[in-house]
Coordinates of all heavy atoms in Angstrom, one line a residue:
A14 N 8.6 61.1 -75.0 CA 9.0 62.5 -75.4 C 7.8 63.3 -76.0 O 7.7 64.5 -75.7 CB 10.2 62.4 -76.3
Q15 N 7.1 62.6 -76.8 CA 5.9 63.3 -77.4 C 4.8 63.6 -76.4 O 4.2 64.6 -76.5 CB 5.4 62.5 -78.6 CG 6.3 62.3 -79.7 CD 6.8 63.6 -80.3 OE1 6.0 64.6 -80.3 NE2 8.0 63.7 -80.8
L16 N 4.6 62.7 -75.5 CA 3.7 62.9 -74.4 C 4.0 64.1 -73.6 O 3.2 64.9 -73.2 CB 3.5 61.7 -73.5 CG 2.8 60.5 -74.0 CD1 3.0 59.3 -73.1 CD2 1.3 60.8 -74.2
A17 N 5.3 64.3 -73.3 CA 5.8 65.4 -72.5 C 5.6 66.8 -73.2 O 5.6 67.8 -72.6 CB 7.3 65.2 -72.1
L18 N 5.6 66.8 -74.5 CA 5.5 68.0 -75.3 C 4.1 68.6 -75.4 O 3.9 69.7 -75.8 CB 6.0 67.8 -76.7 CG 7.5 67.6 -76.9 CD1 7.8 67.3 -78.3 CD2 8.2 68.9 -76.4
S19 N 3.1 67.8 -74.9 CA 1.7 68.3 -75.1 C 1.0 68.3 -73.7 O 0.2 67.4 -73.4 CB 0.9 67.4 -76.0 OG -0.4 67.9 -76.2
P20 N 1.3 69.3 -72.9 CA 0.6 69.4 -71.6 C -0.8 69.7 -71.7 O -1.2 70.5 -72.6 CB 1.4 70.5 -70.9 CG 1.9 71.4 -72.0 CD 2.2 70.4 -73.1
W21 N -1.6 69.2 -70.8 CA -3.0 69.5 -70.8 C -3.5 69.5 -69.3 O -2.9 68.8 -68.5 CB -3.9 68.6 -71.6 CG -3.7 67.2 -71.5 CD1 -4.1 66.4 -70.4 CD2 -3.1 66.3 -72.4 NE1 -3.8 65.1 -70.6 CE2 -3.1 65.0 -71.8 CE3 -2.5 66.5 -73.6 CZ2 -2.6 63.9 -72.5 CZ3 -2.0 65.3 -74.3 CH2 -2.1 64.1 -73.7
T22 N -4.5 70.2 -69.0 CA -5.1 70.2 -67.7 C -6.6 69.8 -67.8 O -7.2 69.8 -68.9 CB -5.1 71.6 -67.1 OG1 -5.7 72.5 -67.9 CG2 -3.6 72.0 -66.9
A23 N -7.1 69.3 -66.7 CA -8.5 68.9 -66.7 C -9.5 70.0 -66.3 O -9.1 70.8 -65.5 CB -8.7 67.7 -65.7
R24 N -10.7 70.0 -66.9 CA -11.7 71.0 -66.5 C -13.0 70.2 -66.4 O -13.4 69.5 -67.3 CB -11.8 72.1 -67.6 CG -12.8 73.1 -67.3 CD -12.6 74.3 -68.2 NE -12.6 74.0 -69.6 CZ -13.7 74.1 -70.4 NH1 -14.8 74.5 -69.9 NH2 -13.6 73.8 -71.7
I25 N -13.7 70.5 -65.4 CA -15.0 69.8 -65.1 C -16.1 70.7 -65.7 O -16.2 71.9 -65.3 CB -15.3 69.5 -63.6 CG1 -14.2 68.6 -63.1 CG2 -16.6 68.9 -63.4 CD1 -14.2 68.3 -61.7
V26 N -17.0 70.2 -66.5 CA -18.1 70.9 -67.1 C -19.4 70.3 -66.6 O -19.6 69.1 -66.6 CB -18.0 70.9 -68.6 CG1 -19.2 71.6 -69.2 CG2 -16.7 71.5 -69.1
H27 N -20.3 71.2 -66.2 CA -21.6 70.8 -65.7 C -22.7 70.9 -66.8 O -22.7 71.8 -67.6 CB -22.1 71.7 -64.6 CG -23.4 71.3 -64.0 ND1 -24.5 72.2 -63.8 CD2 -23.9 70.1 -63.6 CE1 -25.5 71.6 -63.3 NE2 -25.2 70.4 -63.1
H28 N -23.4 69.8 -67.0 CA -24.5 69.7 -68.0 C -25.8 69.6 -67.3 O -26.2 68.5 -66.9 CB -24.3 68.5 -68.9 CG -23.0 68.6 -69.7 ND1 -22.8 69.5 -70.7 CD2 -21.9 67.8 -69.6 CE1 -21.6 69.3 -71.2 NE2 -21.0 68.3 -70.5
P29 N -26.6 70.7 -67.1 CA -27.8 70.6 -66.3 C -28.9 69.8 -67.0 O -29.8 69.2 -66.3 CB -28.3 72.1 -66.3 CG -27.0 72.9 -66.7 CD -26.2 72.0 -67.5
A30 N -28.9 69.6 -68.3 CA -29.9 68.8 -68.9 C -29.8 67.3 -68.8 O -30.7 66.6 -69.1 CB -30.0 69.2 -70.4
D31 N -28.6 66.9 -68.2 CA -28.4 65.4 -68.1 C -29.4 64.9 -67.0 O -30.0 65.6 -66.2 CB -27.0 65.1 -67.7 CG -26.1 65.3 -68.9 OD1 -26.6 65.6 -70.0 OD2 -24.9 65.0 -68.7
A32 N -29.5 63.6 -67.1 CA -30.4 62.9 -66.1 C -30.0 63.2 -64.7 O -28.8 63.3 -64.4 CB -30.4 61.4 -66.4
G33 N -31.0 63.3 -63.8 CA -30.7 63.5 -62.4 C -31.0 64.9 -62.0 O -31.0 65.8 -62.8
A34 N -31.4 65.1 -60.7 CA -31.8 66.4 -60.3 C -30.8 67.4 -60.4 O -31.1 68.6 -60.7 CB -32.3 66.2 -58.8
G35 N -29.5 67.0 -60.2 CA -28.4 68.0 -60.2 C -27.7 68.1 -61.5 O -26.7 68.8 -61.6
G36 N -28.2 67.4 -62.5 CA -27.5 67.4 -63.8 C -26.3 66.5 -63.8 O -26.1 65.7 -62.9
G37 N -25.5 66.5 -64.8 CA -24.3 65.7 -64.9 C -23.1 66.4 -65.2 O -23.1 67.7 -65.4
F38 N -21.9 65.8 -65.0 CA -20.6 66.4 -65.2 C -19.8 65.7 -66.2 O -20.0 64.5 -66.5 CB -19.9 66.4 -63.8 CG -20.5 67.2 -62.8 CD1 -21.4 66.6 -61.9 CD2 -20.3 68.6 -62.6 CE1 -22.0 67.4 -60.9 CE2 -20.9 69.3 -61.7 CZ -21.8 68.7 -60.8
E39 N -18.9 66.4 -66.8 CA -18.0 65.8 -67.8 C -16.6 66.4 -67.6 O -16.5 67.6 -67.3 CB -18.4 66.2 -69.2 CG -17.5 65.6 -70.3 CD -18.0 66.0 -71.7 OE1 -18.9 66.9 -71.8 OE2 -17.5 65.5 -72.7
C40 N -15.6 65.6 -67.6 CA -14.2 66.0 -67.4 C -13.6 66.2 -68.8 O -13.5 65.2 -69.6 CB -13.4 65.0 -66.6 SG -11.8 65.5 -66.2
L41 N -13.2 67.4 -69.1 CA -12.6 67.7 -70.4 C -11.1 68.0 -70.2 O -10.7 68.6 -69.2 CB -13.3 68.9 -71.0 CG -14.8 68.8 -71.3 CD1 -15.3 70.1 -71.9 CD2 -15.0 67.6 -72.3

């Protein structure tokens, strides 16, 4: 019941400074 009361959605954030040519991603 408590889980159902707190809806959230996912958002992908790009971090250009992360390792790799294209940067890195984080799911928030």
Side-chain angles (χ1 to χ4, degrees):
Q15 295 303 329
L16 285 170
L18 286 176
S19 184
W21 51 71
T22 57
R24 179 164 59 94
I25 300 174
V26 177
H27 181 232
H28 298 291
D31 285 1
F38 295 93
E39 181 182 9
C40 184
L41 299 177

